[in-house]
């Protein structure tokens, strides 16, 4: 278990903490910041989500810089991203801040790609996330962060940035899912 993998595991361990902060009734009150009034728990949860999300960049940086890329890391890193994003989307649906159908499409794609990765791993192939997948992940993180922060800053000009960003994330989610399956269609051709 090298440093990048430990950082990835820390991202997974932050998910239940994020969920408790967002879903438990702590009654911390509300705060107003940059034109938005939101529960303090949502602000703290958003910061925790952003912190957890940045570990995706940190673990990748250390893995590449110190040549610590492992098959475990190639498997755990995208899985950690999927778990974090899925948890945050469910929270957003719970608070009626994201559409349930968009969340279902995104989470379904994540399950499908994880299943395909498992099939590939069973055949000895471990595939790291490609650039389209990374763009998809960051689009999701930006959208979720904006929504968790109740569209802070953009609310001042009446721009529903969080909702627009979620649509962009949905497009990249579908596109990258199609790309992933298309590039690995040999799995289905060989499964007769």
């Amino acid at each position: 278990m090298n440093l990048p993998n430990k950082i990835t595991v820390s991202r997974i361990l932050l998910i239940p903490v994020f969920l408790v902060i967002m879903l438990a009734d702590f009654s911390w009150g509300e705060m107003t910041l940059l034109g938005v009034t939101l529960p303090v728990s949502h602000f703290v949860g958003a910061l925790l989500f952003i912190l957890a999300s940045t570990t995706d960049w940190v673990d990748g940086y250390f893995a590449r810089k110190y040549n610590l890329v492992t098959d475990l890391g190639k498997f755990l890193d995208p899985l950690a991203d999927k778990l974090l994003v899925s948890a945050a989307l469910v929270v957003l649906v719970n608070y009626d801040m994201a559409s349930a159908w968009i969340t279902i499409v995104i989470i379904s794609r994540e399950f499908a790609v994880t299943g395909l990765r498992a099939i590939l791993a069973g055949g000895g192939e471990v595939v790291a996330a490609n650039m389209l997948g990374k763009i998809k992940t960051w689009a999701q993180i930006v959208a979720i962060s904006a929504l968790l922060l109740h569209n802070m800053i953009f609310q001042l000009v009446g721009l529903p940035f969080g909702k627009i960003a979620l649509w962009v994330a949905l497009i990249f989610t579908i596109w990258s899912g199609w790309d992933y399956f298309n590039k690995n269609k040999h799995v289905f051709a060989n499964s007769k």
Side-chain angles (χ1 to χ4, degrees):
M1 182 68 78
N2 62 27
L3 178 62
N5 291 342
K6 287 178 183 176
I7 294 170
T8 301
V9 169
S10 75
R11 182 159 69 253
I12 294 169
L13 295 176
L14 284 174
I15 295 168
V17 178
F18 164 76
L19 288 171
V20 168
I21 288 171
M22 289 300 296
L23 299 174
D25 186 16
F26 287 117
S27 301
W28 291 341
E30 292 186 332
M31 61 183 286
T32 301
L33 186 63
L34 300 171
V36 172
T37 300
L38 70 157
V40 172
S41 60
H42 288 197
F43 183 74
V44 172
L47 293 181
L48 188 60
F49 174 82
I50 293 166
L51 172 69
S53 298
T54 58
T55 66
D56 182 35
W57 178 82
V58 174
D59 62 20
Y61 171 79
F62 281 116
R64 287 184 296 277
K65 181 172 181 171
Y66 297 107
N67 197 25
L68 297 171
V69 176
T70 64
D71 285 345
L72 178 64
K74 289 179 188 177
F75 175 76
L76 276 182
D77 184 62
L79 181 63
D81 295 338
K82 291 170 186 1
L83 292 171
L84 179 63
V85 164
S86 297
L89 286 170
V90 170
V91 166
L92 289 170
V93 169
N94 182 65
Y95 286 113
D96 200 28
M97 297 165 70
S99 298
W101 76 268
I102 291 176
T103 297
I104 290 167
V105 170
I106 291 173
I107 292 174
S108 296
R109 180 267 186 211
E110 303 303 359
F111 273 115
V113 168
T114 299
L116 182 57
R117 281 180 182 272
I119 293 168
L120 289 166
E125 293 180 62
V126 178
V127 182
N130 63 18
M131 185 53 67
L132 192 55
K134 291 178 183 184
I135 292 169
K136 176 268 311 177
T137 298
W138 282 102
Q140 291 172 347
I141 289 168
V142 167
I144 291 167
S145 298
L147 291 168
L148 287 171
L149 289 169
H150 293 235
N151 211 37
M152 194 177 287
I153 299 174
F154 300 100
Q155 194 69 24
L156 292 171
V157 294
L159 178 67
F161 177 79
K163 293 194 183 293
I164 293 168
L166 189 59
W167 277 95
V168 171
L170 176 66
I171 291 166
F172 276 106
T173 298
I174 294 168
W175 183 11
S176 65
W178 175 85
D179 181 65
Y180 199 88
F181 275 86
N182 188 48
K183 286 181 178 173
N184 293 288
K185 61 187 168 198
H186 66 276
V187 169
F188 303 104
N190 298 332
S191 65
K192 295 179 183 177

